[in-house]
Amino acid sequence: MDSTYNLNGGFKPTLKRFADLQGPDYFPTPEWATHALIANEQFEGSIWEPACGDGAMSRVLETTGSPVLSTDLFDRGYGEAGVDFLKADHVADNIITNPPYNSAEAFVKAGLVQARCKMALLLRLAFVEGANRQRTIFAKTPPTRIWVFSERITFYPAGAVQKGSGTTAYAWFVWDKQDMGKTEMKWLPLGYKSRYSAKGVKEAKNPMLFR
């Protein structure tokens, strides 16, 4: 367990990752966050989403045209259930997922073994901090690129009304096995949130709304 994700004995952000720890409850990744990744980072070959939930991220990844394997430890109505990523021996060209906070470091270590080409993990920007991660991850296998979200991601329980804005900064951490050794920090362009939100999709399908 990653102890640096605790604040006064509670996980943070409390609501989101406390639900993850309980198993059946989960907070799907907003589709626009995945669109932002694939628009700025190229992935060639197969993709494995090992914490697929209800398929929110997998469905976006499938738009790349690459074969996508979707698995999850729990049965959330999508992909193959009962697959523990940390114990699986499957190998894919690329691994892309939003790991549970309490298993983030373990996902990094496992993914570096199971990904042939690239691994991209959606993590709190604060993941760059911490003496333990510096020793066990960053000093040995630093990410190639960190794509920082300028727009805040808000995670909602499945089926909840989406309103308000998150207060936690997130980033895509990308390990490219063909370019390891140094880290480049980049900022994702603005606009993905509005373009791929429910409102943005509706406008894109109805050009009259732009007139």
Side-chain angles (χ1 to χ4, degrees):
M1 180 174 292
D2 186 352
S3 61
T4 63
Y5 280 109
N6 287 280
L7 179 64
N8 297 327
F11 286 96
K12 59 180 182 180
T14 305
L15 182 60
K16 178 180 187 303
R17 293 308 184 179
F18 178 81
D20 281 345
L21 293 176
Q22 300 307 309
D25 296 326
Y26 65 100
F27 289 59
T29 301
E31 292 185 3
W32 71 268
T34 308
H35 278 291
L37 173 69
I38 62 176
N40 292 277
E41 187 77 37
Q42 292 187 339
F43 297 91
E44 297 182 358
S46 61
I47 298 174
W48 181 12
E49 213 291 47
C52 68
D54 67 352
M57 186 178 291
S58 294
R59 282 188 287 269
V60 177
L61 296 176
E62 289 169 357
T63 66
T64 64
S66 297
V68 178
L69 172 65
S70 302
T71 65
D72 201 301
L73 181 59
F74 301 96
D75 185 358
R76 289 163 174 162
Y78 194 93
E80 181 181 353
V83 179
D84 187 342
F85 176 66
L86 302 182
K87 298 179 180 178
D89 57 5
H90 179 73
V91 176
D93 294 319
N94 307 284
I95 292 173
I96 304 174
T97 194
N98 176 3
Y101 275 9
N102 66 312
S103 301
E105 287 190 34
F107 264 65
V108 172
K109 295 174 183 177
L112 287 172
V113 174
Q114 295 160 300
R116 298 188 188 95
C117 303
K118 290 184 179 181
M119 173 177 65
L121 301 183
L122 181 58
L123 302 166
R124 287 191 313 145
L125 182 57
F127 190 77
V128 298
E129 304 172 342
N132 183 62
R133 281 191 290 274
Q134 195 281 331
R135 289 191 300 267
T136 61
I137 297 176
F138 301 133
K140 300 176 181 178
T141 53
T144 306
R145 281 173 293 281
I146 300 177
W147 289 99
V148 180
F149 282 92
S150 299
E151 301 172 280
R152 289 291 172 87
I153 302 176
T154 305
F155 292 90
Y156 300 92
V161 176
Q162 299 187 12
K163 61 181 179 179
S165 179
T167 58
T168 303
Y170 286 89
W172 280 106
F173 287 66
V174 178
W175 283 262
D176 183 346
K177 287 193 169 182
Q178 301 302 314
D179 186 18
M180 300 283 282
K182 61 180 180 180
T183 301
E184 179 182 15
M185 182 170 285
K186 307 182 78 170
W187 281 259
L188 290 165
L190 297 170
Y192 293 103
K193 189 172 186 177
S194 60
R195 181 179 180 184
Y196 292 104
S197 65
K199 179 181 178 181
V201 171
K202 180 179 180 181
E203 291 175 345
K205 291 181 178 179
N206 187 358
M208 294 299 293
L209 293 177
F210 290 101
R211 299 181 181 181

